[in-house]
Amino acid sequence: MLDISFADLLCQKWDTLCAEFGIPATEYTPINSHIRSLLAPWGSRLIEATPRYPSFVSGDGFPAEISVGLSAGVPEFRILFESLGAPATSMSCRQAGLDLTERLADELGVHVDSFDRVKDLFLPRDRDGGLIWHSIAWRPGNTPEYKVYLGTQAYGPDGAYDAVGKAMSRLGMSSAWEATRDGIALRRGSVPELDFFALDLTEQPTARAKVYLRHHGITADDLNRLAGLASSHRSPSAIDAYRTIVGDPQRVLTDHPLTCLAFRQDNEQAAEATTYLRLTGAADSHAAACGLVESLVDPNILDPARYRAAITALATGGAPGVQELVGLRTRHDQLDVTVYLRFDVYGRAAPPPEKCSCAR
């Protein structure tokens, strides 16, 4: 045992991040309490030395990650997590995720209609497999927002695109998805693995359905072309940001970069694209990784000293690993940067995950 619970560890990291960014405790403390309620009942369990059920959320099997969005002048703090069943198995965690979705709707009035329309495609009752994760995002001065993430491999990798196509049809986004799928098929190299389907849990007209693609060998130039399927993508500014992280835009990246394409109703193509690149391979210390992030963000938005102080407070030793990924999204003339933080609670030598049809 590590003598600390899941909820205590995550909320300590959350509080540290918020405090180092200068957010008053009077603002983030109520969110801390809310996070604990979302993680109940499993969040009160003590963390064991090795995970009995290694989650795919983090590389070491820990079932959560924290990220911070650096755009629009005010940071946005997020936690992505997989609810754990008792005992934790693929099916019990799936049920725990379903139970949380129901609680969000019943207790908080969160809009889950879009989820209800597609959940059978990704969480079939007649077979094992199917992941369900959630995220909470909070920007100071605003109420929290929620997303649900659904693994697409319940029918195996070959069925993922078909399942998403059916979901998009039910959500009224089929035209944009079909155009995007045609664009994916035309790109060079292998077809990317369709990892996750996500939904904004809101009734706002800006609500998105999001598709996450994992690449097995791709250049930054090709990532830029793929992101160009989205209407808001701006290739020149995007490729400059990619070069900051990977250097040569024609070098083949083998560390599984990701692309997220976001869709909205009444759009004839994908609305937004985010490219995820690994900071752990681009920098040899957390200070060097901080420097890469700072070079991407408008100094009027990010105070470099404050950011470094936050990362230093979260990092153990000098390892760069706490800054795992950087997400880069261009929206017309704006570059949005999000940094994903992982804490290697179990270390990198975690046992292999429980075998299920979602295992990648």
Side-chain angles (χ1 to χ4, degrees):
M1 298 287 183
L2 300 187
D3 199 31
I4 190 171
S5 70
F6 289 99
D8 283 347
L9 176 65
L10 285 168
C11 287
Q12 284 179 14
K13 300 290 187 183
W14 176 273
D15 287 356
T16 296
L17 191 62
C18 291
E20 293 293 345
F21 269 88
I23 310 303
T26 53
E27 292 190 40
Y28 66 73
T29 298
I31 305 299
N32 178 312
S33 299
H34 180 52
I35 291 168
R36 290 178 182 275
S37 71
L38 296 179
L39 302 181
W42 62 274
S44 62
R45 299 179 206 162
L46 292 178
I47 301 171
E48 297 183 305
T50 58
R52 295 190 181 187
Y53 171 82
S55 172
F56 286 112
V57 174
S58 295
D60 69 337
F62 191 69
E65 70 174 13
I66 294 177
S67 59
V68 56
L70 306 171
S71 62
V74 180
E76 182 178 73
F77 305 98
R78 310 167 186 165
I79 296 182
L80 170 71
F81 61 93
E82 180 175 13
S83 297
L84 300 183
T89 66
S90 61
M91 289 301 287
S92 71
C93 293
R94 168 174 151 174
Q95 186 58 53
L98 287 168
D99 291 345
L100 175 58
T101 309
E102 186 174 338
R103 280 203 290 132
L104 287 171
D106 292 346
E107 298 176 10
L108 300 176
V110 174
H111 187 78
V112 299
D113 287 5
S114 58
F115 169 77
D116 286 339
R117 277 184 269 169
V118 303
K119 64 184 178 183
D120 64 295
L121 296 170
F122 305 103
L123 303 169
R125 293 183 177 182
D126 59 348
R127 67 184 72 189
D128 193 358
L131 294 173
I132 176 170
W133 300 348
H134 293 83
S135 70
I136 174 175
W138 174 69
R139 194 182 297 274
N142 294 274
T143 57
E145 298 178 346
Y146 308 91
K147 292 187 185 70
V148 63
Y149 297 76
L150 298 164
T152 59
Q153 307 299 329
Y155 299 100
D158 293 340
Y161 280 86
D162 289 339
V164 167
K166 293 175 182 176
M168 290 296 197
S169 178
R170 294 181 187 182
L171 297 171
M173 303 178 186
S174 57
S175 295
W177 170 243
E178 289 168 6
T180 300
R181 187 169 181 178
D182 289 343
I184 293 171
L186 290 173
R187 63 170 292 275
R188 296 178 297 178
S190 59
V191 175
E193 183 178 356
L194 205 164
D195 252 7
F196 276 91
F197 182 76
L199 294 166
D200 291 337
L201 296 180
T202 174
E203 57 184 344
Q204 295 298 317
T206 54
R208 300 163 299 175
K210 304 171 74 176
V211 171
Y212 290 81
L213 305 171
R214 181 181 299 271
H215 304 284
H216 302 280
I218 190 171
T219 67
D221 279 340
D222 283 337
L223 286 169
N224 193 29
R225 279 188 279 270
L226 182 61
L229 296 172
S231 60
S232 66
H233 184 72
R234 294 296 177 265
S235 292
S237 56
I239 197 63
D240 287 346
Y242 300 171
R243 285 195 190 101
T244 298
I245 304 300
V246 306
D248 181 0
Q250 297 186 30
R251 177 171 65 89
V252 176
L253 306 175
T254 58
D255 55 358
H256 307 298
L258 302 166
T259 298
C260 172
L261 294 169
F263 301 80
R264 292 190 175 96
Q265 285 189 334
D266 301 324
N267 285 17
E268 293 302 312
Q269 65 184 105
E272 300 170 357
T274 304
T275 300
Y276 301 88
L277 302 171
R278 298 197 182 275
L279 284 167
T280 46
D284 58 6
S285 70
H286 80 259
C290 284
L292 292 176
V293 172
E294 292 159 11
S295 69
L296 292 168
V297 184
D298 185 334
N300 294 317
I301 292 175
L302 178 67
D303 178 346
R306 194 177 286 283
Y307 180 73
R308 285 180 181 251
I311 296 302
T312 300
L314 292 170
T316 54
V322 66
Q323 299 169 95
E324 175 80 10
L325 291 169
V326 61
L328 302 169
R329 176 180 64 184
T330 58
R331 289 190 295 168
H332 306 297
D333 295 329
Q334 177 177 318
L335 175 66
D336 295 334
V337 178
T338 301
V339 182
Y340 295 82
L341 309 170
R342 294 176 180 171
F343 305 109
D344 286 348
V345 176
Y346 298 118
R348 289 288 175 177
E354 174 185 332
K355 291 295 182 181
C356 72
S357 59
C358 297
R360 300 180 300 282

